Amino acid sequence: FDYDGPSMKTEVPAEELQKNVGAVHFFCNYEESRGNYLVDADGNRMLDLYTQISSIPIGYNHPALLKVLSKPHNLSTFVNRPALGILPPENFPERLMETLVSVAPRGMSRVQTMACGSCSNENAFKSMFIWYKNKERGHNQPSQEEINSCMLNQGPGCPDLSILSFMGSFHGRTMGCLATTHSKSIHKLDVPSFDWPIAPFPKLRYPLEEFVRENSQEEARCLEEVEDLIVKWRQKGKTVAGIVTEPIQSEGGDNHASPDFFKKLRNIARKHGCAFHVDEVQTGCGPTGKFWAHEHWGLDDPADIVSFSKKMLTGGYFHKDEFMPYRIFNTWMGDPSKNIFLTEVLNVIKTERLLEEVSRSGKALLQGLYELQAQYPHLLSAARGVGTFCAINARDDATRDRLILKVRNKGIILGGCGEKSIRFRPALVFKEYHVHLFLNIFNDVLAEH
Amino acid sequence: FDYDGPSMKTEVPAEELQKNVGAVHFFCNYEESRGNYLVDADGNRMLDLYTQISSIPIGYNHPALLKVLSKPHNLSTFVNRPALGILPPENFPERLMETLVSVAPRGMSRVQTMACGSCSNENAFKSMFIWYKNKERGHNQPSQEEINSCMLNQGPGCPDLSILSFMGSFHGRTMGCLATTHSKSIHKLDVPSFDWPIAPFPKLRYPLEEFVRENSQEEARCLEEVEDLIVKWRQKGKTVAGIVTEPIQSEGGDNHASPDFFKKLRNIARKHGCAFHVDEVQTGCGPTGKFWAHEHWGLDDPADIVSFSKKMLTGGYFHKDEFMPYRIFNTWMGDPSKNIFLTEVLNVIKTERLLEEVSRSGKALLQGLYELQAQYPHLLSAARGVGTFCAINARDDATRDRLILKVRNKGIILGGCGEKSIRFRPALVFKEYHVHLFLNIFNDVLAEH
Ligand code: FES
């Protein structure tokens, strides 16, 4: 089903396509794209290791997904988008059990669907605030003063609670999410925000196995800062209701931390009565070789809330019982047509054993990156990753950008992240021979550079 | 294609379906639903005047929409959701011209797609903040201090700017939108917010034609308050960058204001250098008999930004050139599969002359409501509306809720809004004979009450 390799006819984008269209990289022919290959408007066929910012789970035009549209009884789900919160389709609870609940993270059996990563996180934050206030009140009956003041955006109804996030994190760009996003200034500039605490995220040395002692000191420093901030913000009257973190900071530059770090962070959250929210929008749905990246931590009670989107096609979040979404609502509350596709995606992941495939390809990819950085130490460093969720640093951002353009003209699509990192975000159907195909082309480009 | 009337077999929901499922009204059989009729899981067929919170434009399972899914070249758009901002499909600019740009409000030729009403408004707000800061700076090059401070959620990079909204308004529930939403306390309670100014929205007497003098005094009072708030918030150091309003406050209780009010409001915005944002998420796409409700104002320059979603199937906002979305971005930036459906919707609206149909049905509906409130003055009052976008007040909220349940068991779906209003939000294919069908049943229920 996959094509057998890249095939380039022009530069990408060909000159006549270099219109003034903002951030557009190039125009695509999605009809001709297949598996790991994205075809552009000029018929250039490229091996895609970026997959629409990590959001194509099992490659382009997977036959299992196309089949969904050939089944007449599915069609009404596409043309009649319901207000899911009030008028769900009759089979919706069963579908949720078959799909989302079947992959629920440990300790969670409840899920709230949403439509994208931002509304998933916004509503997860709101759940944590509501949970915190109910805990504080001892019940869920607001006072008349709370009811009146909230209509005016004032306390006590709109309390001065906060969410603690990490420098380098990315949790979305709507205004609540944006107050916890700290990856690039250009995302945040000119937009009013909340005075919420921001902790340093560990800056580790890679490979992690070689720098265990230094890294664990760095992690201890950051955790200490987390506790200090919680205390400080409580004193300021802006108590921390929840802590949010990615298992691997993605937009911020593929920054990793150890299972021990997350275990201690989880304990700090518990100790201070804060909810613990793991944002798996980019890491979830298999790219690390486990379904959820936080499963690598090996904790019995890893989180209170886990949000997802991208490869999951629908957005949403899993939560513990005590975060019941009674007051979480919007018109669509997700999109059941995305759930139909997700059922097939989960099925393909299982029957084609894609998590094992990811672990295998990821090992080959990381090994290849180690070799390249040994061979080109003036260009590359800090290869790192779990599964195929890998990254490597270029010397600087100009070099990074040039390398990405050069490999693109040889038929490989890569993405950047952080200051000078290249990130690898292939689909789950990216196999070992795709890894070698990529490594050969990357090697050629590096040799020429 | 439509069914020929309601057909009820059980109470709705039948007892065995009354599970503990939060806000769920009942479960639906979308496959069997058609045109103006929603069928539930028990086979009850109901005339739908609520249409999934006003989000089904041309009825259930419209053949034109089903046909979209039978065309093989459309399928790849459904199974490969692109990151539209960077890798759009090759025909995307043309599709936008054919669909969204063809219905652009006066004075606007640019559109940014989004995925729902909330991200449409969140990003519209961000555009206004960025526009305001660029205007203030005189250029779009931020200082180093701005760049550094914004990463910490602090000024001057994250400025203390505000959006002025109206009491009773609804603009969404993500945290930026929620700071401008003031329809029900339960939406806002326990969620931190911004100290932004909230002006009174005119409380008019209906029918508007009969209370012109009182109403215009009330509107003048509110406009004066708007100017006062703009001045006060500037003095507080929280300058108003934009004003947002619905043309008819929908969730807040179908509150109308006159074209003269909006004309003066638009002038106040211009005078004080604030952007003017008209939120047409619920009013847009035809239900008032014009494509955009604000066209009823008859202004040459009605707005700087117009946001939409719901019946438009995709979200997004139109904007003037100076609000270019260079820094507006997220993973999906909309969903081209919704645009394909929208093309058909716009086509059906044109070829079936649905805006004329809406005006005709709306006139009959409002006339009927006037007669009913004259007949049952102890139960109903304040009938009002434009096109089929109508509402009427019940004596109190308990009466309202009882009436809605009673008509439902006779095969009519209605929705509430505000404190004690019933709102009518049929699809654009709701014809005059559907109006009479509804009025007869409503009359029976009122007579029995
Ligand atoms: S905010 Fe998620 S779809 Fe709009």
Side-chain angles (χ1 to χ4, degrees):
Chain A
F1 175 70
D2 227 18
Y3 290 110
D4 59 4
S7 151
M8 302 303 288
K9 301 178 178 172
T10 66
E11 297 256 291
V12 179
E15 228 159 311
E16 64 270 33
L17 273 172
Q18 293 172 351
K19 301 176 196 160
N20 178 9
V21 273
V24 169
H25 294 177
F26 54 84
F27 288 91
C28 304
N29 182 335
Y30 287 102
E31 232 178 311
E32 291 300 316
S33 300
R34 271 199 226 162
N36 290 283
Y37 292 90
L38 177 61
V39 174
D40 80 357
D42 296 309
N44 295 303
R45 183 207 301 158
M46 292 165 273
L47 183 64
D48 190 357
L49 282 79
Y50 192 43
T51 59
Q52 313 293 323
I53 321 182
S54 205
S55 69
I56 299 287
I58 53 174
Y60 296 102
N61 288 310
H62 196 289
L65 302 184
L66 288 167
K67 221 170 82 191
V68 162
L69 294 168
S70 68
K71 295 195 181 151
H73 70 270
N74 282 335
L75 303 188
S76 80
T77 306
F78 287 87
V79 302
N80 309 297
R81 189 175 183 178
L84 260 185
I86 53 173
L87 297 163
E90 46 187 329
N91 52 4
F92 194 69
E94 292 75 27
R95 260 196 212 284
L96 274 192
M97 292 306 287
E98 278 165 36
T99 55
L100 286 167
V101 177
S102 80
V103 294
R106 196 195 279 248
M108 295 179 192
S109 58
R110 293 186 183 270
V111 68
Q112 177 59 62
T113 58
M114 285 285 155
C116 78
S118 289
C119 40
S120 304
N121 285 337
E122 288 272 342
N123 283 290
F125 292 177
K126 284 170 61 178
S127 298
M128 296 194 286
F129 289 129
I130 294 170
W131 165 84
Y132 195 91
K133 286 300 288 180
N134 283 339
K135 200 164 57 117
E136 213 177 51
R137 276 189 290 258
H139 55 76
N140 58 15
Q141 294 308 314
S143 69
Q144 195 56 47
E145 196 193 352
E146 285 174 317
I147 290 172
N148 296 344
S149 57
C150 77
M151 290 295 269
L152 303 166
N153 296 9
Q154 304 295 326
C158 291
D160 249 344
L161 293 174
S162 61
I163 302 284
L164 182 141
S165 57
F166 288 92
M167 191 49 73
S169 60
F170 183 93
H171 300 292
R173 296 183 179 222
T174 48
M175 292 180 70
C177 294
L178 194 59
T180 61
T181 286
H182 319 278
S183 46
K184 276 190 185 163
S185 61
I186 213 68
H187 300 161
K188 295 176 66 78
L189 190 72
D190 300 339
V191 183
S193 194
F194 293 106
D195 178 26
W196 289 355
I198 307 154
F201 193 79
K203 288 195 194 321
L204 303 188
R205 297 189 63 187
Y206 302 94
L208 299 175
E209 316 77 80
E210 283 180 28
F211 299 94
V212 172
R213 203 175 45 81
E214 296 92 315
N215 286 345
S216 107
Q217 277 174 3
E218 166 66 358
E219 292 186 338
R221 177 186 76 88
C222 295
L223 290 167
E224 208 175 304
E225 185 74 15
V226 168
E227 286 214 69
D228 281 359
L229 288 168
I230 293 175
V231 171
K232 240 186 239 161
W233 255 253
R234 191 184 301 135
Q235 285 164 353
K236 273 205 206 191
K238 300 184 179 176
T239 305
V240 175
I243 296 177
V244 62
T245 187
E246 297 155 275
I248 302 167
Q249 286 193 335
S250 308
E251 299 300 315
D254 273 36
N255 306 319
H256 293 249
S258 71
D260 184 61
F261 172 81
F262 290 109
K263 186 176 169 183
K264 287 176 175 155
L265 184 62
R266 207 278 166 264
N267 287 340
I268 289 173
R270 200 184 286 105
K271 171 178 162 195
H272 291 274
C274 316
F276 189 57
H277 170 183
V278 179
D279 175 348
E280 292 250 22
V281 168
Q282 188 154 167
T283 50
C285 200
T288 67
K290 295 198 188 274
F291 198 89
W292 302 109
H294 75 256
E295 291 173 50
H296 291 281
W297 305 344
L299 304 189
D300 281 338
D301 178 27
D304 295 310
I305 292 194
V306 172
S307 56
F308 57 84
S309 185
K310 290 198 187 260
K311 283 192 176 59
M312 297 288 283
L313 307 179
T314 176
Y317 59 93
F318 294 97
H319 57 88
K320 293 204 174 148
D321 282 4
E322 66 226 71
F323 292 81
M324 269 308 281
Y326 292 120
R327 296 201 350 244
I328 299 299
F329 192 80
N330 60 47
T331 300
W332 285 319
M333 301 288 273
D335 184 344
S337 73
K338 307 296 182 195
N339 288 48
I340 302 191
F341 285 131
L342 179 62
T343 310
E344 296 308 316
V345 166
L346 296 178
N347 213 6
V348 168
I349 291 177
K350 212 154 75 184
T351 55
E352 300 185 10
R353 300 173 155 275
L354 291 185
L355 297 183
E356 290 168 37
E357 203 73 65
V358 164
S359 302
R360 198 158 35 233
S361 310
K363 217 167 138 187
L365 176 58
L366 193 57
Q367 188 52 40
L369 294 175
Y370 283 148
E371 285 164 20
L372 288 175
Q373 79 183 7
Q375 208 177 334
Y376 305 99
H378 56 297
L379 286 174
L380 298 177
S381 63
R384 56 202 182 274
V386 188
T388 55
F389 201 101
C390 292
I392 195 163
N393 287 358
R395 187 173 47 206
D396 48 42
D397 62 339
T399 307
R400 186 259 312 269
D401 296 348
R402 258 199 316 274
L403 287 174
I404 289 178
L405 282 182
K406 279 193 178 168
V407 297
R408 190 162 85 186
N409 281 320
K410 296 198 183 259
I412 303 281
I413 303 174
L414 296 177
C417 68
E419 263 172 57
K420 54 182 182 182
S421 298
I422 295 170
R423 61 175 147 174
F424 304 96
R425 296 292 188 274
L428 306 176
V429 292
F430 189 74
K431 316 252 177 216
E432 236 182 297
Y433 63 88
H434 297 113
V435 173
H436 295 299
L437 216 159
F438 155 68
L439 288 170
N440 286 337
I441 292 176
F442 197 30
N443 190 16
D444 290 350
V445 166
L446 292 163
E448 275 170 26
H449 196 85
Chain B
F1 173 70
D2 227 16
Y3 289 110
D4 58 5
S7 152
M8 302 303 288
K9 302 179 178 171
T10 67
E11 296 256 295
V12 179
E15 227 160 312
E16 64 271 31
L17 273 170
Q18 293 173 351
K19 300 177 198 161
N20 179 9
V21 274
V24 169
H25 295 179
F26 53 86
F27 288 91
C28 305
N29 183 335
Y30 287 103
E31 233 178 310
E32 291 300 316
S33 300
R34 271 198 225 164
N36 290 283
Y37 291 91
L38 177 61
V39 175
D40 80 357
D42 295 311
N44 297 303
R45 183 206 301 158
M46 293 166 272
L47 183 65
D48 190 358
L49 282 78
Y50 192 43
T51 58
Q52 313 294 322
I53 321 181
S54 204
S55 69
I56 300 287
I58 53 173
Y60 295 101
N61 287 312
H62 195 290
L65 301 185
L66 287 168
K67 221 170 83 191
V68 162
L69 293 167
S70 68
K71 295 194 181 153
H73 70 272
N74 283 334
L75 303 188
S76 79
T77 305
F78 287 87
V79 303
N80 308 296
R81 187 173 185 181
L84 260 186
I86 53 173
L87 296 163
E90 46 187 331
N91 51 4
F92 194 70
E94 291 76 27
R95 259 197 212 283
L96 274 192
M97 292 307 287
E98 279 166 37
T99 56
L100 287 167
V101 178
S102 81
V103 294
R106 198 194 277 247
M108 293 178 194
S109 58
R110 292 184 185 272
V111 67
Q112 177 60 62
T113 59
M114 284 287 155
C116 78
S118 289
C119 38
S120 303
N121 285 338
E122 288 273 339
N123 283 289
F125 293 176
K126 286 170 60 178
S127 296
M128 296 195 283
F129 289 128
I130 295 170
W131 165 84
Y132 196 91
K133 287 301 287 182
N134 283 338
K135 200 164 59 117
E136 213 178 51
R137 275 189 290 257
H139 54 76
N140 58 14
Q141 294 307 315
S143 69
Q144 195 57 48
E145 195 192 352
E146 286 174 317
I147 290 172
N148 296 343
S149 57
C150 78
M151 290 295 270
L152 303 167
N153 296 10
Q154 304 295 324
C158 292
D160 248 344
L161 292 173
S162 61
I163 302 284
L164 181 141
S165 57
F166 288 92
M167 191 50 73
S169 60
F170 183 93
H171 301 292
R173 298 184 179 221
T174 48
M175 291 181 70
C177 294
L178 194 60
T180 62
T181 286
H182 320 279
S183 46
K184 276 191 186 162
S185 61
I186 213 67
H187 300 159
K188 295 175 67 76
L189 189 73
D190 300 339
V191 183
S193 194
F194 292 106
D195 178 26
W196 290 355
I198 307 154
F201 193 80
K203 289 196 194 319
L204 303 188
R205 297 189 62 186
Y206 302 94
L208 299 176
E209 315 77 81
E210 284 180 28
F211 300 94
V212 173
R213 204 177 44 83
E214 298 92 315
N215 286 345
S216 110
Q217 277 173 3
E218 166 66 359
E219 291 187 339
R221 179 186 75 88
C222 295
L223 290 167
E224 209 176 304
E225 186 73 16
V226 169
E227 285 213 72
D228 281 357
L229 288 169
I230 292 175
V231 172
K232 238 185 241 161
W233 255 253
R234 191 185 299 132
Q235 284 165 354
K236 273 206 204 189
K238 300 183 178 177
T239 305
V240 176
I243 296 177
V244 64
T245 187
E246 296 155 275
I248 302 166
Q249 286 193 336
S250 310
E251 299 299 316
D254 274 37
N255 306 318
H256 293 249
S258 71
D260 184 61
F261 172 80
F262 289 109
K263 186 175 168 184
K264 288 175 174 155
L265 184 62
R266 207 277 167 263
N267 287 339
I268 290 173
R270 202 185 283 105
K271 171 178 162 194
H272 290 275
C274 314
F276 189 56
H277 171 183
V278 179
D279 175 347
E280 292 250 21
V281 168
Q282 188 153 169
T283 50
C285 201
T288 68
K290 295 197 187 276
F291 198 89
W292 302 108
H294 76 257
E295 292 174 50
H296 291 280
W297 306 344
L299 304 190
D300 282 337
D301 178 26
D304 294 311
I305 291 195
V306 173
S307 56
F308 57 83
S309 186
K310 291 197 186 262
K311 282 192 178 56
M312 297 288 282
L313 307 179
T314 175
Y317 60 94
F318 294 97
H319 58 88
K320 294 202 175 150
D321 284 4
E322 65 227 70
F323 293 81
M324 270 308 282
Y326 292 120
R327 300 209 335 251
I328 299 300
F329 192 81
N330 61 45
T331 300
W332 285 319
M333 301 288 271
D335 183 344
S337 73
K338 307 297 182 194
N339 288 48
I340 302 191
F341 285 132
L342 178 62
T343 310
E344 297 308 315
V345 167
L346 296 178
N347 215 4
V348 168
I349 291 177
K350 214 155 71 183
T351 55
E352 299 185 9
R353 299 172 154 277
L354 291 184
L355 296 184
E356 290 168 36
E357 203 74 64
V358 164
S359 301
R360 198 157 35 234
S361 311
K363 217 167 138 187
L365 176 57
L366 193 56
Q367 189 51 42
L369 294 175
Y370 283 148
E371 285 163 20
L372 288 175
Q373 79 183 7
Q375 207 176 336
Y376 305 99
H378 56 297
L379 285 174
L380 298 178
S381 64
R384 57 204 182 271
V386 188
T388 54
F389 201 100
C390 292
I392 195 163
N393 287 358
R395 187 172 48 204
D396 49 43
D397 62 338
T399 307
R400 186 257 315 266
D401 295 350
R402 255 197 319 272
L403 288 174
I404 289 177
L405 281 181
K406 278 194 178 167
V407 297
R408 190 162 84 187
N409 280 323
K410 296 199 184 257
I412 303 280
I413 303 173
L414 296 177
C417 68
E419 263 172 58
K420 54 180 182 183
S421 299
I422 295 170
R423 62 175 146 175
F424 304 95
R425 296 291 188 275
L428 307 176
V429 293
F430 189 74
K431 316 250 181 226
E432 237 183 295
Y433 64 87
H434 296 115
V435 173
H436 295 300
L437 216 158
F438 154 69
L439 288 170
N440 287 338
I441 292 177
F442 197 29
N443 190 16
D444 291 348
V445 167
L446 291 163
E448 275 171 27
H449 197 84

